[in-house]
C-alpha cells in the first residue's frame, strides 16, 4: 500500500486515483480518506487526479501516540504533497479536514494551492470563550471525550444519527451509519480523544485571513455537529476571495440528496 513517511517517522497512507490537476481531500473526525470515495471517483472520472490520505492515528496510517494537533496534521499533509510533487492543487476538506486544509494552505501552501473548498468545516474556531461568546461550550466537547472513553463503539453509532441528520428525517441509510461506525472504529483511542481538542480549540482566524486563492465555503444549515452560525457564516467574512454555499436542511455528514447537490457544486468549482 502507498505510504509517505513524515519527518517523525509516521507512515501516512494515501490513495491516488486518475490523472490531471490534483484534488487533495482531507477527511473529518473520526473517519478516514475512504469517506471521500464518491468525490474521488467524481474527480478522477472528470480528468482530475484525486488524492486522499488517512490522518495520523486514523484509517491505515500509523497509530502514533503524539502529534494529534492541527499543526502536525497540516505538516503531515505537506509531507504528502511534497512526496507526490504536487502543484496547482485544489484542496477539499470536510469538518476537521476543513481546518487542516486551511492551515496547510496558510502555512505550507507557498504558491502550490489553486483553490480551496471547505465543507461543514470547523474554522474559524468552535469552542466558546470570552473572545468567541457564540461558540459551543467546552462542556459539549468534554461530553464527547467522555463518550469516546466510556464506550467508543456505541458512542460512534449514536453519533451517526446527528451526524447524518437522521433524527431530522434525512433518510440516510443504515449502511451509511454502519460505514461511519466502521471508519470510526479504525481510529486509535488516543487519536480519537486528542483530536477533539484539535478540532474544537484551534483558532483558524489568521489562517483564513492569509488565504489569497478562491475559497468555496459549503455547509448545510441543519448541521448539528458544527453550527453554521459559528462556522461558515463567520469564515466567509474572513477570506478575501470567498463564495458561500448554504444547503437548506442539509446535515453535517455528506450523504443522500446533500451529497448529490454538493458534488455538482464541487465539480463546477473545480472546473471554473
Amino acid at each position: 500500500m502507498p505510504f509517505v513517511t513524515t519527518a517523525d517517522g509516521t507512515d501516512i497512507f494515501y490513495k491516488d486515483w486518475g490523472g490531471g490537476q490534483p484534488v487533495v481531500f482531507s477527511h473529518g473526525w473520526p473517519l478516514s480518506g475512504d469517506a471521500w470515495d464518491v468525490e474521488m471517483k467524481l474527480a478522477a472520472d472528470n480528468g482530475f487526479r484525486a488524492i486522499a490520505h488517512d490522518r495520523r492515528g486514523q484509517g491505515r496510517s500509523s497509530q502514533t501516540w503524539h502529534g494529534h494537533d492541527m499543526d502536525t496534521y497540516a505538516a503531515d499533509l505537506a509531507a504528502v504533497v511534497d512526496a507526490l510533487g504536487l502543484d496547482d492543487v485544489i484542496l477539499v476538506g470536510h469538518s476537521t479536514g476543513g481546518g487542516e486544509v486551511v492551515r496547510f494552505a496558510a502555512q505550507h501552501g507557498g504558491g502550490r494551492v489553486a483553490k480551496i473548498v471547505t465543507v461543514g468545516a470547523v474554522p474559524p474556531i468552535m469552542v466558546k470563550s470570552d473572545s468567541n461568546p457564540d461558540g459551543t461550550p467546552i462542556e459539549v466537547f468534554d461530553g464527547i471525550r467522555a463518550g469516546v472513553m466510556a464506550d467508543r463503539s456505541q458512542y460512534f453509532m449514536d453519533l451517526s444519527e446527528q451526524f447524518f441528520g437522521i433524527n431530522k428525517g434525512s433518510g440516510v441509510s443504515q449502511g451509511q451509519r454502519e460505514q461511519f461506525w466502521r471508519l470510526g472504529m479504525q481510529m486509535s483511542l488516543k487519536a480519537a480523544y486528542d483530536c477533539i481538542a484539535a478540532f474544537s480549540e484551534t483558532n483558524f482566524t489568521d489562517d483564513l485571513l492569509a488565504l489569497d486563492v478562491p475559497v468555496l465555503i459549503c455547509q448545510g444549515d441543519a448541521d448539528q455537529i458544527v453550527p453554521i452560525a459559528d462556522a461558515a457564516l463567520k469564515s466567509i467574512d474572513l477570506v478575501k476571495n470567498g463564495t458561500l454555499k448554504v444547503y437548506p436542511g442539509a446535515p453535517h455528514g455528506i450523504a443522500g440528496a446533500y451529497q448529490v447537490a454538493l458534488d455538482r457544486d464541487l465539480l463546477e468549482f473545480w472546473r471554473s
Side-chain angles (χ1 to χ4, degrees), residues 14-265:
Y14 69 93
K15 298 190 290 188
D16 189 349
W17 300 353
Q21 184 179 11
V23 182
V24 176
F25 296 88
S26 181
H27 62 82
W29 179 94
L31 306 172
S32 75
D34 288 354
W36 282 118
D37 275 0
V38 172
E39 288 69 32
M40 286 189 68
K41 185 176 186 300
L42 175 72
D45 283 347
N46 284 277
F48 295 92
R49 180 182 178 186
I51 298 159
H53 69 294
D54 294 350
R55 194 169 295 120
R56 66 170 58 208
Q58 300 178 238
R60 289 140 292 198
S61 293
S62 297
Q63 293 198 359
T64 60
W65 187 254
H66 57 279
H68 305 294
D69 60 85
M70 202 56 66
D71 284 342
T72 305
Y73 295 158
D76 289 347
L77 178 53
V80 174
V81 170
D82 289 345
L84 298 181
L86 304 182
D87 201 5
D88 196 29
V89 176
I90 300 171
L91 299 169
V92 184
H94 175 237
S95 195
T96 300
E100 179 179 284
V101 299
V102 165
R103 178 140 298 182
F104 164 82
Q107 297 189 0
H108 304 277
R112 295 182 292 182
V113 176
K115 301 174 186 177
I116 302 169
V117 184
T118 66
V119 183
V122 297
I125 183 170
M126 289 192 71
V127 72
K128 182 178 181 178
S129 65
D130 291 343
S131 60
N132 187 39
D134 299 325
T136 302
I138 189 68
E139 290 79 10
V140 172
F141 302 109
D142 289 341
I144 298 173
R145 280 182 272 265
V148 166
M149 290 301 298
D151 186 347
R152 179 171 42 137
S153 182
Q154 189 59 50
Y155 182 78
F156 286 159
M157 184 58 71
D158 293 343
L159 181 62
S160 67
E161 184 171 345
Q162 289 182 310
F163 188 90
F164 290 114
I166 295 165
N167 57 341
K168 301 292 185 180
S170 67
V172 172
S173 70
Q174 181 65 23
Q176 287 276 9
R177 295 187 69 177
E178 292 179 2
Q179 172 71 342
F180 175 90
W181 175 88
R182 184 184 73 84
L183 297 182
M185 292 304 294
Q186 291 177 341
M187 187 181 195
S188 77
L189 181 61
K190 173 68 169 172
Y193 188 92
D194 286 1
C195 188
I196 296 164
F199 71 64
S200 64
E201 299 177 33
T202 303
N203 191 334
F204 299 95
T205 299
D206 289 344
D207 303 294
L208 291 166
L209 290 169
L211 302 179
D212 59 2
V213 298
V215 182
L216 176 63
I217 298 174
C218 304
Q219 190 161 12
D221 66 5
D223 191 326
Q224 299 172 74
I225 306 299
V226 178
I228 189 172
D230 205 42
L233 299 188
K234 288 186 176 180
S235 292
I236 191 62
D237 292 332
L238 296 171
V239 297
K240 297 179 181 70
N241 186 8
T243 301
L244 175 66
K245 181 69 177 182
V246 177
Y247 298 83
H252 189 65
I254 302 169
Y258 176 35
Q259 186 167 40
V260 172
L262 174 66
D263 287 359
R264 181 178 59 246
D265 292 336

